[in-house]
Amino acid sequence: MLSQSLTHAAQAPAAARPARRSRGLQCRAQAATGTVVPPRPKNELLVGLVEALFKFPPFFAFAAKNARAMIVKRGEKMGMDFQAEIDALRSVDWDEEVAAARDPTVKYPSYYKKPFHAYPDGNLAMEPALEMTVAARSVHSVVYDPEGKKLDPEGDAKLRSTFNDCTKVLLEEQGARPVQDILDVGAATGLSSLALLKAFPGSQVTGIDLSPHMIAVGRYLQRQRNADQAAAGQQPEQLRFVHGAGEDTRLPDGCMDLVSIMLVCHELPAAASQAIFAEAFRVLRPGGALAVMEMNPASPIFQRIFSNPFPYVAFKSTEPWLLEYLSLDMPGAMTAAGFLPPRQLENSPRHKTVVAVKPQQ
Ligand SMILES: C[S@@+](CC[C@H](N)C(=O)[O-])C[C@H]1O[C@@H](n2cnc3c(N)ncnc32)[C@H](O)[C@@H]1O
């Protein structure tokens, strides 16, 4: 998350760039695109210099601090007090909450224990979990502006709802089974899970995440929502959080209708995405589907970021598996896991929705 704000921060001073595509969503589904490697910046010398700068700890710390400050500043510009939201969560006794969320039998893959998003302990720490909601709202506030500048307080909600809208179109187009049981892989604190519950009324969502800190914050926020709902005479939400790995969910075979993976694959080595797709295939019922929403390397916005040395290095230095994600042949990995060839829609000028169905037999 923070990496994207580092990237946006890096882009900010640049001159106005031409809008290359309309704000509208792509309406026609197509076969999912395979590997698209965006061009590297041409000026290798400058890339080397910027890389050296980012490897210099005081500069990296300065850039990370600025990116965090920008998250809060964007909130202010949108009329929201993001700092107060983070501070309110900081007052909770998280040691106890995290201990209750942690499943001691869960093994962390080595790729997961790296610094991510300028957080030294990656997602295995309180800070990213406490900042998750405001970081998502800040980073995604610019997603639908081709210039990446105009702030939309609804950007995050829109990114998630357009994903689920595209998923529904692609499920219907491919004759997938009706959706009742959903697995949300990499659910973090539940933003993607809540969007799924809203998009598929009456469904039951299991949100799994490797970070006990994310699960702890997700459960805490859920308790608050459920208390509000109970006071209003409503039923508790049908979402359960599980601490675990997407590649080893420990769920029974064939218990899900939809496995959703929102904004997770760019944080994984290609082999881990492949393993998670295989696990999704196992837990899905015949006719069930896998839906992935991710950055679209083929989009003009990503091509632009990757051809500019500063955003390129900023992005890469806070997303350890970004280049691996770019090398991932997503349709190839899905069909290798047993799925039918996936179909794709673009749900933002820089994100794609890819849906693959498990054959009926
Ligand atoms: C960028 S966040 C996305 C969260 C959420 N899906 C959303 O859209 O807001 C990625 C999440 O994936 C989790 N994650 C990464 N690798 C995972 C894995 N192998 N299994 C389960 N969760 C994983 C991280 O802990 C993190 O919470």
Side-chain angles (χ1 to χ4, degrees):
M1 260 330 146
L2 195 57
S3 61
Q4 291 197 31
S5 50
L6 267 175
T7 308
H8 293 307
Q11 277 185 296
R17 300 167 185 84
R20 294 202 205 154
R21 56 183 303 152
S22 76
R23 194 186 149 98
L25 304 180
Q26 177 199 309
C27 297
R28 191 175 304 164
Q30 59 182 47
T33 44
T35 311
V36 178
V37 181
R40 263 178 72 90
K42 289 199 177 67
N43 191 335
E44 290 290 339
L45 184 64
L46 190 54
V47 170
L49 282 173
V50 181
E51 271 174 347
L53 200 57
F54 269 83
K55 282 187 186 138
F56 182 51
F59 177 81
F60 190 82
F62 167 78
K65 196 172 159 207
N66 267 358
R68 289 216 174 86
M70 197 178 74
I71 287 176
V72 172
K73 207 158 148 200
R74 275 197 186 157
E76 278 166 14
K77 283 191 185 157
M78 292 188 288
M80 291 173 253
D81 192 346
F82 282 177
Q83 190 59 55
E85 285 187 43
I86 298 170
D87 290 345
L89 282 178
R90 275 213 181 92
S91 62
V92 176
D93 176 0
W94 289 109
D95 287 348
E96 209 175 301
E97 299 277 344
V98 174
R102 179 177 283 122
D103 176 343
T105 65
V106 170
K107 301 263 179 297
Y108 300 106
S110 57
Y111 69 78
Y112 188 73
K113 294 192 279 183
K114 288 197 169 271
F116 271 94
H117 307 161
Y119 298 113
D121 296 318
N123 287 312
L124 289 171
M126 258 351 279
E127 213 59 13
L130 299 180
E131 292 177 359
M132 184 71 204
T133 305
V134 296
R137 271 150 66 201
S138 170
V139 169
H140 298 150
S141 63
V142 295
V143 155
Y144 286 91
D145 177 17
E147 299 298 316
K149 287 180 184 164
K150 203 169 150 230
L151 303 180
D152 177 359
E154 297 305 318
D156 182 65
K158 201 162 146 189
L159 182 64
R160 298 171 193 286
S161 64
T162 54
F163 165 50
N164 290 322
D165 290 347
C166 288
T167 296
K168 287 199 240 182
V169 169
L170 294 169
L171 290 175
E172 193 178 335
E173 190 199 82
Q174 295 174 90
R177 61 181 294 124
V179 174
Q180 171 66 39
D181 296 304
I182 305 176
L183 175 64
D184 183 20
V185 175
T189 59
L191 293 172
S192 44
S193 312
L194 289 174
L196 285 161
L197 275 179
K198 192 169 170 194
F200 296 94
S203 64
Q204 302 205 325
V205 176
T206 301
I208 191 165
D209 202 285
L210 261 174
S211 165
H213 308 79
M214 295 284 182
I215 296 291
V217 173
R219 285 192 184 150
Y220 174 84
L221 295 174
Q222 183 180 45
R223 283 203 303 275
Q224 291 189 321
R225 286 191 303 272
N226 279 343
D228 290 347
Q229 275 164 247
Q234 292 163 358
Q235 294 297 314
E237 63 194 28
Q238 294 299 302
L239 164 61
R240 75 178 174 121
F241 286 100
V242 174
H243 179 214
E247 47 275 74
D248 178 21
T249 62
R250 305 171 186 188
L251 293 167
D253 290 357
C255 62
M256 294 286 160
D257 304 306
L258 179 67
V259 176
S260 176
I261 309 180
M262 209 184 284
L263 302 170
V264 181
C265 292
H266 71 278
E267 294 192 4
L268 304 171
S273 291
Q274 173 80 69
I276 291 176
F277 297 166
E279 176 70 349
F281 188 86
R282 184 186 71 75
V283 301
L284 280 167
R285 300 182 174 113
L290 167 64
V292 175
M293 193 260 277
E294 255 308 341
M295 306 174 193
N296 184 0
S299 67
I301 292 181
F302 267 92
Q303 300 270 327
R304 190 175 73 208
I305 290 173
F306 270 77
S307 59
N308 188 331
F310 203 80
Y312 170 76
V313 176
F315 214 163
K316 203 161 68 72
S317 56
T318 54
E319 292 285 2
W321 301 109
L322 187 64
L323 297 185
E324 280 258 346
Y325 166 64
L326 297 178
S327 76
L328 173 71
D329 170 12
M330 199 179 278
M334 288 177 173
T335 49
F339 289 98
L340 296 168
R343 307 276 295 165
Q344 167 177 327
L345 280 165
E346 290 170 17
N347 63 298
S348 96
R350 57 186 93 183
H351 294 89
K352 61 180 179 180
T353 297
V354 181
V355 172
V357 173
K358 178 171 177 170
Q360 289 293 347
Q361 49 190 331

